[in-house]
Amino acid sequence: MNIPPKLLLDELVQSETVAREDANRYEVTSLQKNLPIQEYLYQFTNISRTAILKALAKIQKTAFVDLTASPIDPQAVGYIPESIARKYKIIPYKFDPKDDVIYLGTTEPFNTEIIDFLEKKTGKRIVLSLADSDEIIKSIAMAYTQGLSPEVKDALKEYKSESATNTLEKIDASIHEAPIAKIVSTILEFSIKSRASDIHIEPMEAKTQVRYRIDGILQEKLSLPKSIHEALISRIKILSGMKIDEKRVPQDGRFTFQLADDIVDLRVSSLPTVHGEKIVMRLLKKTGGIPSLSDLGLMGPQLKDLEEAITKPYGIILVTGPTGSGKTTTLYSVLSRLNKPSVNIVTLEDPVEYQMPGINQVQINPQAGLTFATGLRAFLRQDPNIILVGEIRDTETTQLAIQAALTGHLVFSTLHTNDSATAIPRLVDLGAETFLVASVLNAVMAQRICRKICPNCKVQYEAPAAVQQNIKEVLGPLLPAIYANGKPMMLFKGQGCGECNNTGYLGRIAIFEVLKITSVINRMIIQQSPAKDIENQGKKEGLIVMKQDGYLKVLDGITTIEEVLRVAEVE
């Protein structure tokens, strides 16, 4: 269907995807190039294909499916042969057993011939949704030849034929059946191949969804029939050493899984929900080693400031940020750098995430009375040089950490604060005396994790004027000299490919701010100056804040401005 350029551009303006002046320019230029407006927008603008297709679907008054965000249902795939999917360029992505409907993604949502043909062939009702043609081809390849769907589809067929009526008596027997074991194994294998950090197995009203956290973002990858949920959860609980008959309270467990040379330790947590038990598995790779500080993204003056702080013989170094911001990984990188036979390093963690040779690692056990505070008190009798306390979360731990630093130990720990400067009043809130904080604090580092642009589909584009202005304002004197004379800023983004699962991102890097505790900041701590004043003084003395570090990495083509704003916009 040919859409008039003005109609599509008006819809994009209305949805605030495009500015009116840009829309007018696109309309003129597409006519000059003699290109349909849709093709022109794909080729010559930075507008995502998803936004363009959403606008088209709205104009055509039809449904739209984003195949990059929608998991492929193996049941739906089972009804449509691969040859038909390829011939008609359609992808079955969802099956609704309640209404007996198969949902398909297509470039022709009004093709009644396909609907009639498939309804006769499958005996089900067919609903078509507009989808991106490139994503349909990629989804067909994934659904029929690789990834999760084919193995799970075969296992489901096997499971159904063996236990057509899934009674409570049969659930216990089915836990040990090959199909359920195969589905669990496939879910775990896919997590390792896709570099996932967490797996969520969640019961819904009519299905069970499997989501993976890949590069920090949750992505739904698989949809399973509700009938196998109990057996699936029970299988994981057996592997994790949990009680399978206890479904009313949360439980924790762990097990190890190996795929080729990759050995993964899985921490498993179960939670009763209204639709059944939910399982979350955290993956901790035992293989692959600990990254260096430069691999994490520390560079230039920030790396120099941190290196200065960690080479001091005593004091406290804090790493701050929300849960999942990579604080533990950074601390392990520091410890691996300091780890040598002449140094006694002890760590107190909850839980021990990486096992490091040559370091004495202790896991807290509150039930047995081993807390951060009691463990830290015991550590002082173990003749340590360096102490890592997983988290400072109460007055007793705060005071003991300061005491350890005052008596000649180098102490590392984490705090949950938004930036480096606010860690100082947070320590005072936790009962630390300001003059003691001033005397023992070496440095505070805040961090967040951004996704890196996929190198396989990386493309360059000129940043819009508003973005260029924003970068100049944020960076100020840190702006590279090359842009000072008005040279346009060329930024990078990932178009999406098979390697990055069509996200445009592959891997992660951290953005940092390292607040060095200087003599001036020392006096400000004693005077209890506000965190903002301490930050401003830090900037005068060379502090690069997280957002600035992120923008420098954007200009270097490492990440995108959208990623930096997603994780570092804390004002």
Side-chain angles (χ1 to χ4, degrees):
M1 185 188 287
N2 282 328
I3 301 288
K6 188 161 178 24
L7 198 60
L8 177 57
L9 291 165
D10 282 351
E11 180 56 44
L12 289 168
V13 169
Q14 198 173 334
S15 63
E16 296 183 350
T17 307
V18 176
R20 170 53 69 190
E21 55 270 27
D22 288 334
N24 295 338
R25 182 161 49 85
Y26 296 155
E27 187 175 3
V28 173
T29 319
S30 66
L31 291 169
Q32 288 170 347
K33 289 183 181 288
N34 197 24
L35 272 175
I37 187 64
Q38 196 174 333
E39 285 307 311
Y40 172 79
L41 294 175
Y42 284 160
Q43 288 182 41
F44 297 100
T45 72
N46 192 31
I47 307 166
S48 72
R49 292 174 72 96
T50 301
I52 296 164
L53 286 164
K54 270 185 184 171
L56 283 170
K58 195 167 179 186
I59 292 163
Q60 295 173 353
K61 293 184 170 55
T62 187
F64 168 74
V65 60
D66 181 359
L67 293 171
T68 61
S70 182
I72 304 300
D73 185 342
Q75 275 189 298
V77 172
Y79 287 113
I80 310 291
E82 184 181 352
S83 56
I84 290 175
R86 290 190 182 279
K87 182 181 175 183
Y88 292 102
K89 210 171 168 184
I90 54 174
I91 179 69
Y93 66 91
K94 182 182 168 188
F95 174 64
D96 181 355
K98 195 175 170 188
D99 296 324
D100 226 20
V101 178
I102 302 170
Y103 292 87
L104 296 134
T106 175
T107 55
E108 302 176 51
F110 299 103
N111 191 330
T112 52
E113 286 179 23
I114 292 178
I115 295 173
D116 294 342
F117 168 65
L118 290 176
E119 284 188 341
K120 280 176 188 166
K121 183 164 182 63
T122 61
K124 312 288 180 192
R125 196 157 72 82
I126 300 293
V127 172
L128 301 181
S129 302
L130 179 65
D132 185 348
S133 58
D134 291 355
E135 296 305 332
I136 292 171
I137 293 163
K138 288 171 189 169
S139 297
I140 290 170
M142 183 172 279
Y144 290 98
T145 60
Q146 64 187 59
L148 280 168
S149 292
E151 290 132 318
V152 173
K153 186 178 70 178
D154 294 343
L156 284 173
K157 278 183 185 170
E158 207 180 317
Y159 179 77
K160 279 184 179 174
S161 63
E162 287 180 16
S163 54
T165 54
N166 203 13
T167 62
L168 284 170
E169 294 78 35
K170 289 198 175 182
I171 286 170
D172 188 50
S174 67
I175 294 163
H176 305 282
E177 284 174 7
I180 290 295
K182 197 187 293 179
I183 290 170
V184 171
S185 182
T186 305
I187 287 169
L188 294 174
E189 283 176 23
F190 185 82
S191 70
I192 294 170
K193 288 174 185 170
S194 61
R195 303 168 295 101
S197 61
D198 301 84
I199 308 168
H200 293 234
I201 299 172
E202 302 166 306
M204 303 283 115
E205 193 172 2
K207 64 171 184 175
T208 291
Q209 71 176 12
V210 181
R211 295 195 289 173
Y212 293 86
R213 191 174 292 281
I214 301 169
D215 291 335
I217 306 292
L218 267 179
Q219 301 175 20
E220 193 178 344
K221 291 290 179 189
L222 183 63
S223 180
L224 296 167
K226 189 68 185 282
S227 57
I228 73 160
H229 183 79
E230 291 259 353
L232 190 68
I233 297 299
S234 296
R235 171 73 184 164
I236 293 166
K237 285 168 86 172
I238 285 171
L239 290 171
S240 315
M242 297 184 196
K243 296 176 183 173
I244 62 166
D245 57 340
E246 180 55 84
K247 299 170 186 179
R248 300 162 301 167
V249 295
Q251 293 186 67
D252 292 303
R254 65 193 307 158
F255 67 98
T256 302
F257 182 77
Q258 183 165 0
L259 177 67
D261 295 330
D262 288 316
I263 302 170
V264 177
D265 196 19
L266 292 110
R267 289 210 326 262
V268 186
S269 167
S270 74
L271 183 74
T273 73
V274 288
H275 296 303
E277 281 186 286
K278 173 183 172 174
I279 289 274
V280 173
M281 294 184 270
R282 164 65 58 90
L283 284 79
L284 303 166
K285 280 188 89 168
K286 288 187 171 181
T287 47
I290 291 162
S292 68
L293 290 170
S294 53
D295 288 341
L296 294 176
L298 264 170
M299 52 187 73
Q302 292 179 308
L303 181 57
K304 182 173 163 287
D305 288 346
L306 182 65
E307 282 176 334
E308 273 179 26
I310 67 175
T311 50
K312 289 182 180 176
Y314 62 89
I316 294 179
I317 292 154
L318 293 174
V319 182
T320 78
T323 304
S325 59
K327 300 186 296 294
T328 306
T329 305
T330 300
L331 286 173
Y332 275 116
S333 296
V334 171
L335 290 187
S336 66
R337 189 162 184 154
L338 298 172
N339 188 15
K340 47 187 180 233
S342 59
V343 176
N344 179 20
I345 301 176
V346 288
T347 77
L348 191 60
E349 303 167 64
D350 179 25
V352 173
E353 293 197 11
Y354 299 92
Q355 291 181 18
M356 291 178 69
I359 289 178
N360 307 286
Q361 294 173 275
V362 178
Q363 180 159 327
I364 72 161
N365 185 348
Q367 287 85 4
L370 178 54
T371 62
F372 281 123
T374 56
L376 189 47
R377 197 176 282 111
F379 276 7
L380 296 175
R381 297 190 290 273
Q382 288 282 317
D383 186 31
N385 300 100
I386 296 169
I387 298 171
L388 165 65
V389 184
E391 187 187 338
I392 290 177
R393 57 171 77 149
D394 57 42
T395 302
E396 195 178 1
T397 311
T398 307
Q399 290 172 347
L400 283 165
I402 289 171
Q403 194 61 43
L406 284 169
T407 51
H409 303 91
L410 189 59
V411 180
F412 294 93
S413 193
T414 68
L415 268 180
H416 289 282
T417 62
N418 281 336
D419 53 43
S420 54
T422 50
I424 295 161
R426 176 82 180 117
L427 277 178
V428 176
D429 289 344
L430 285 167
E433 296 286 353
T434 51
F435 67 92
L436 291 178
V437 173
S439 61
V440 298
L441 202 57
N442 291 353
V444 184
M445 181 164 73
Q447 67 178 76
R448 299 287 188 279
I449 299 181
C450 292
R451 292 179 292 171
K452 284 160 70 176
I453 299 168
C454 173
N456 305 293
C457 59
K458 191 174 185 176
V459 292
Q460 200 175 33
Y461 69 97
E462 186 181 334
V467 171
Q468 294 194 38
Q469 185 57 34
N470 178 243
I471 290 173
K472 286 174 184 174
E473 285 171 6
V474 169
L475 288 179
L478 295 172
L479 184 75
I482 192 171
Y483 301 116
N485 57 5
K487 184 183 174 181
M489 289 178 193
M490 301 307 291
L491 305 184
F492 294 86
K493 63 174 182 174
Q495 285 186 309
C497 63
E499 287 293 312
C500 62
N501 198 29
N502 304 312
T503 59
Y505 297 98
L506 189 68
R508 295 194 285 174
I509 197 161
I511 58 172
F512 298 94
E513 63 182 47
V514 180
L515 179 66
K516 199 166 59 169
I517 307 301
T518 61
S519 55
V520 178
I521 290 175
N522 251 323
R523 286 198 298 275
M524 294 178 80
I525 294 171
I526 294 166
Q527 291 160 4
Q528 295 193 21
S529 299
K532 199 69 193 167
D533 291 353
I534 292 172
E535 184 185 289
N536 290 335
Q537 178 59 34
K539 284 180 182 174
K540 287 178 193 171
E541 298 179 9
L543 170 69
I544 298 170
V545 298
M546 271 184 294
K547 195 170 175 184
Q548 290 175 326
D549 186 41
Y551 277 19
L552 290 170
K553 287 181 169 95
V554 168
L555 292 176
D556 285 341
I558 297 169
T559 187
T560 63
I561 197 154
E562 292 82 5
E563 270 299 285
V564 174
L565 293 173
R566 180 177 70 84
V567 301
E569 193 72 280
V570 292
E571 279 103 53

